[in-house]
Every structure is written in structure tokens, then in C-alpha cells.
């Protein structure tokens, strides 16, 4: 018997997904609850578990296909039935007659070509070229992004293995012409590769473009002297880590400083809903986290009532699960304000885009020593540029500048966060 595997419920208002990767190939043994496929939704990657023990059956859809909730993905064959079926194959075939040549075994290249097409994540064009030319993709060095194979790589490998005959040379020349442009002396051949956008990347593109088209975006800047925060971290880092089992980072300081500013300037923590303004008496901070498939923004809920340690733990957990691809839709639902830290990648200054329907986002950047004037003297201090992008339909310039100034003052004098100033 076989068990059908269907697309599971993906979350509120999510009705379809894209098949990102098959984790099990036909014939592979699978255990109950073992992931067999990865689906990409608008925000997260969802693993589909096997409902039973058995052997992976046929794939009903290919990688890259769009599937709706409840659609058939694959089948799982009963392990007993699959085991019985596999016992039939090893039986010895009748000995061939002396005057009948033994059947030729399949060409090694062709056999290998069919296998890696499923074993690797190949684009449809590359997979088709592998099958047409009977080459082994595992023996080809990819020149695409992250070492991936391109169609030109396959065509070049196919032409290299052809016999050196007149027709073979003609075919080889034709393949080489189609694979790459005529090389210019002293210049390496130029290549290009087309890769379909993932569903997550398409959603990111639509949401960011929508934010630009809908909101009246404006950005205000300031700079922050990080001396006090750095000294506090250095002084308490060992005690903090020992007591809370987490490192004391910069994000918790900025999250708490933002909470002060949002409480003082409610418009920065509000949203436009039709012709109404929604004000929140809580602060749910979306934290931009880099994941393998794109930027995600899980939410630290009730950040205004959480301790430094709990905020650091939440952010560390989000970062780990983003890399593992285990974030859920619930993790990213909601949020009233966003913090994006481009400084971890070395960014000096940027104009971050708001995360709709939110009305503001705080951008952090790298810390570098710069000369500043203190008490009439030029001194070297660790400085950071900070930016607040906001929706000018809701937030006036005075409110945005005041909110950013409040964050600056809280970071430069962390005691303000303790006595709520």
C-alpha cells in the first residue's frame, strides 16, 4: 500500500507554496516524521514530514512548482511491500545462448546523468541539458553562483567528450558557440546564469516596493557615542554571561532605548489602517535577521517589559533558527517597530525601508573611531551613525527627530534606561 503526502496547512492566510527542495528521493527509506520535502512560503521555509515509515515513492511535483494547501506532493510506499518488490530484482536471469550476445549494460554516463539530476539541486535548463547530452554533473566544475552548474558548463563538458571526427568537431564547435560568446584575446569568457526567484525573495521585493509606493518615506540621521555602552559591556560581560547564560550584546541596549522613545512619541509606534491611526500601548520589535533565503523579521514581543537578558536570548534564538530554517509564521507575525543592524556587515550609513504596515524602522551601522569634540577638546571616540526611516503621512519631522534623539541620549547615558528618562 501507499500513503499520500499532501501539502499541510501553512499558516493563516497562506494558501500556496513553492517546492524548494526534495529531501528524499524515490527509493530512499523514510521514517515517520522525517522531513521529505521543503516548501517555501512568503516568509518561511516549511519542512513536510513523512506520515508513516516506509520507502519514498514518486514525486508528484517538481522542484520550483507552485502547490496549494491539500495538493498531492508524493507517496510513501509501505516498507514491507517495497522490500518484497526489491527482492525480485536480484534473481538471476537465464544464461544467454552462445550465439546471442549478452545485453549491453546501460551507458555509465547516461546512468549517472539520471541520478544527479535528482540528487542535486539543478535548474530545469541544466537538468534538461544533463539528460540530453548524457554527462555526469558530479564530474563538472560549476562556474555559477556558489559553484552551481550552468547550462554552458554542461554543454562544454559534453563537447569535450565527443569523438574527434569531422562531424564531431562540427558539433563541438556549434556547442561551444552556443555555450559562450566568442572570447576576446586576453579576456576570460563571460557567462551569465538565470535563476528563478524564490517565493520569499519575490515577497520581499513586492513588500519593499509596496512600501515605497504607499508610504511617504523620509529618513533622519544622528550619530551616537558608544563609549558608555562599550564600557558597560566590558565591565559586566562575564557576570552577565555567567548569570544568564547569554552574551550581552548591543541589540538589547538599542531595543530598550527604542522602547523609551516609542513610549514618549506614540506616533512612531503606530500604524495607519485605512483612514484611522492605530496606537499600541505595547512594543513588539521586529528584528531583521539574515537567513539563507533572504531577510526575515521575527518579533520580540513585549520588548518594553522584558529584561536585557531575555531580549538577548530571544534575538539569539531567532538568529539560530533563521539559519536552520525553522522559524515559523507565528514568529514573524505582527510587530510595531523594526530594528535593522547593517553594522554587522560593515555598513557605514543607510536609509532603511519600513516594514509595512509599521511606520518606522531604526537602522544601526558599524562602530568606528572618529575624532569628536568634547569639552572643547578633540578626542577619539567609538561612534555609530543611526538612521530612522519613517512614514511622513503619520510621523512629523519633529517627532522623528525627537525619537531618534531620545535613542541617542539613552545609549550615551544608559542610566536613563534604568530610571525611565
Amino acid at each position: 500500500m501507499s500513503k499520500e503526502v499532501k501539502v499541510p496547512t501553512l499558516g493563516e492566510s497562506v494558501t500556496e507554496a513553492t517546492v524548494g527542495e526534495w529531501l528524499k528521493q524515490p527509493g530512499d527509506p523514510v521514517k515517520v516524521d522525517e522531513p521529505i520535502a521543503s516548501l517555501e512560503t512568503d516568509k518561511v521555509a516549511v519542512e513536510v514530514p513523512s506520515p508513516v515509515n516506509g520507502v519514498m515513492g514518486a514525486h508528484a511535483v517538481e522542484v520550483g512548482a507552485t502547490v496549494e494547501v491539500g495538493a498531492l506532493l508524493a507517496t510513501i510506499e509501505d516498507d514491507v511491500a517495497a522490500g518484497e518488490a526489491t527482492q525480485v530484482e536480484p534473481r538471476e536471469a537465464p544464461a544467454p545462448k552462445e550465439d546471442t550476445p549478452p545485453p549491453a549494460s546501460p551507458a555509465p554516463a547516461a546512468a549517472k546523468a539520471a541520478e544527479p539530476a535528482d540528487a542535486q539541486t539543478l535548474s530545469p535548463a541544466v537538468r534538461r541539458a544533463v539528460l540530453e547530452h548524457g554527462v555526469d554533473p558530479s564530474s563538472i566544475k560549476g562556474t555559477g553562483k556558489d559553484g552551481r552548474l550552468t547550462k554552458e558548463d554542461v554543454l562544454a563538458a559534453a563537447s569535450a567528450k565527443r569523438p574527434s571526427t569531422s562531424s564531431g568537431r562540427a558539433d563541438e564547435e556549434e556547442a561551444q558557440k552556443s555555450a559562450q560568446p566568442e572570447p576576446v584575446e586576453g579576456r576570460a569568457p563571460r557567462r551569465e546564469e538565470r535563476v528563478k526567484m524564490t517565493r520569499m525573495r519575490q515577497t520581499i521585493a513586492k513588500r519593499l516596493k509596496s512600501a515605497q509606493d504607499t508610504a511617504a518615506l523620509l529618513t533622519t540621521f544622528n550619530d551616537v557615542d558608544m563609549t558608555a555602552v562599550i564600557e558597560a559591556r566590558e565591565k559586566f560581560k562575564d557576570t552577565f554571561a555567567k548569570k544568564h547564560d547569554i552574551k550581552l550584546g548591543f541589540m538589547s541596549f538599542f531595543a530598550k532605548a527604542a522602547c523609551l522613545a516609542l513610549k514618549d512619541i506614540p506616533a512612531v509606534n503606530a500604524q495607519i489602517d485605512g483612514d484611522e491611526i492605530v496606537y499600541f500601548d505595547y512594543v513588539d520589535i521586529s528584528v531583521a535577521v539574515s537567513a539563507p533565503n533572504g531577510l526575515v523579521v521575527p518579533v520580540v514581543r513585549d520588548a518594553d517589559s522584558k529584561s536585557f537578558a531575555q531580549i538577548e536570548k530571544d534575538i539569539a534564538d531567532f538568529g539560530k533558527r533563521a539559519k536552520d530554517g525553522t522559524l515559523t509564521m507565528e514568529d514573524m507575525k505582527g510587530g510595531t517597530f523594526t530594528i535593522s543592524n547593517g553594522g554587522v556587515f560593515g555598513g557605514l550609513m543607510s536609509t532603511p525601508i519600513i516594514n509595512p504596515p509599521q511606520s518606522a524602522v531604526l537602522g544601526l551601522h558599524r562602530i568606528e573611531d572618529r575624532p569628536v569634540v568634547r569639552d572643547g577638546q578633540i578626542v577619539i571616540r567609538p561612534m555609530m551613525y543611526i538612521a530612522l526611516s519613517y512614514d511622513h503621512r503619520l510621523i512629523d519631522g519633529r517627532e522623528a527627530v525627537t525619537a531618534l534623539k531620545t535613542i541617542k541620549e539613552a545609549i550615551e547615558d544608559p542610566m536613563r534606561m534604568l530610571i525611565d528618562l
Side-chain angles (χ1 to χ4, degrees):
M1 292 182 60
S2 62
K3 176 71 174 179
E4 292 184 342
V5 183
K6 297 184 178 181
V7 179
T9 301
L10 301 170
E12 184 180 353
S13 75
V14 181
T15 60
E16 62 181 21
T18 300
V19 180
E21 181 183 6
W22 281 107
L23 305 176
K24 291 291 183 179
Q25 305 302 323
D28 290 350
V30 295
K31 297 180 180 179
V32 64
D33 293 332
E34 185 177 12
I36 62 171
S38 176
L39 302 180
E40 294 179 355
T41 68
D42 292 347
K43 294 183 177 180
V44 296
V46 179
E47 291 185 342
V48 180
S50 171
V52 294
N53 293 322
V55 176
M56 189 68 195
H59 297 162
V61 290
E62 296 182 351
V63 171
T66 299
V67 291
E68 296 183 350
V69 172
L72 179 65
L73 277 178
T75 57
I76 303 295
E77 305 296 336
D78 183 77
D79 52 356
V80 175
E84 292 175 352
T86 55
Q87 291 174 4
V88 178
E89 296 181 1
R91 293 178 183 173
E92 294 184 1
K97 297 180 181 180
E98 294 182 2
D99 57 347
T100 304
S105 59
K112 291 181 180 178
E115 178 187 347
D118 288 330
Q120 300 183 33
T121 303
L122 305 177
S123 68
V126 174
R127 187 182 299 109
R128 185 164 54 251
V130 166
L131 295 174
E132 287 177 357
H133 296 280
V135 296
D136 179 8
S138 64
S139 65
I140 306 173
K141 183 177 181 181
T143 60
K145 185 179 179 181
D146 298 328
R148 281 186 282 185
L149 288 183
T150 66
K151 182 179 178 182
E152 289 75 15
D153 296 331
V154 176
L155 293 176
S159 63
K161 62 177 287 188
R162 289 176 183 158
S164 182
T165 62
S166 58
S167 60
R169 284 194 297 270
D171 292 341
E172 182 178 350
E173 291 173 359
E174 182 180 350
Q176 289 177 340
K177 288 179 180 179
S178 63
Q180 60 187 44
E182 195 70 27
V184 179
E185 185 176 355
R187 181 187 301 174
R190 300 191 303 170
R191 301 179 184 275
E192 63 181 40
E193 179 185 10
R194 292 181 181 267
V195 179
K196 185 177 179 180
M197 293 174 69
T198 63
R199 179 173 290 274
M200 184 183 294
R201 177 52 59 184
Q202 292 178 44
T203 301
I204 291 173
K206 290 177 182 178
R207 286 178 60 83
L208 293 181
K209 184 57 181 173
S210 175
Q212 284 187 323
D213 293 340
T214 304
L217 291 177
L218 189 63
T219 304
T220 183
F221 299 91
N222 214 319
D223 60 356
V224 177
D225 186 340
M226 297 293 292
T227 300
V229 169
I230 292 175
E231 289 177 350
R233 286 184 66 206
E234 187 65 27
K235 181 177 181 180
F236 298 111
K237 65 178 182 180
D238 294 335
T239 306
F240 188 90
K242 184 177 180 180
K243 180 175 181 179
H244 300 292
D245 196 28
I246 189 73
K247 291 182 179 179
L248 179 59
F250 292 125
M251 285 296 290
S252 56
F253 284 93
F254 279 100
K256 298 299 285 187
C259 289
L260 283 181
L262 301 184
K263 291 293 185 179
D264 288 347
I265 314 293
V268 184
N269 195 45
Q271 298 175 6
I272 294 178
D273 184 9
D275 58 355
E276 297 179 333
I277 300 175
V278 182
Y279 293 95
F280 302 98
D281 67 350
Y282 56 87
V283 179
D284 287 352
I285 296 182
S286 301
V287 181
V289 177
S290 180
N293 292 331
L295 193 70
V296 293
V297 278
V299 180
V300 178
R301 306 193 188 282
D302 298 314
D304 52 323
S305 61
K306 286 184 175 179
S307 65
F308 280 68
Q310 190 57 55
I311 292 174
E312 291 291 353
K313 289 179 180 179
D314 287 353
I315 294 174
D317 178 59
F318 288 146
K320 180 180 183 301
R321 289 198 285 139
K323 292 179 180 178
D324 296 339
T326 57
L327 286 174
T328 65
M329 298 291 288
E330 190 64 27
D331 292 327
M332 289 176 282
K333 183 178 178 181
T336 63
F337 182 77
T338 294
I339 298 179
S340 178
N341 186 7
V344 296
F345 304 110
L348 176 64
M349 186 179 292
S350 67
T351 55
I353 299 179
I354 64 173
N355 179 23
Q358 298 174 18
S359 298
V361 53
L362 175 67
L364 310 182
H365 304 92
R366 76 170 185 250
I367 302 171
E368 64 178 6
D369 289 340
R370 292 202 298 268
V372 295
V373 177
R374 296 288 185 268
D375 299 324
Q377 300 293 321
I378 297 178
V379 294
I380 303 298
R381 292 292 173 86
M383 303 297 294
M384 174 197 288
Y385 288 117
I386 56 176
L388 184 74
S389 291
Y390 58 99
D391 188 347
H392 212 337
R393 297 177 302 165
L394 172 60
I395 304 170
D396 294 331
R398 177 186 62 83
E399 295 171 316
V401 171
T402 301
L404 195 62
K405 182 171 178 287
T406 300
I407 294 173
K408 168 186 169 69
E409 291 173 345
I411 293 298
E412 292 184 340
D413 186 2
M415 183 63 70
R416 289 173 172 268
M417 289 181 267
L418 298 178
I419 57 179
D420 194 18
L421 281 181

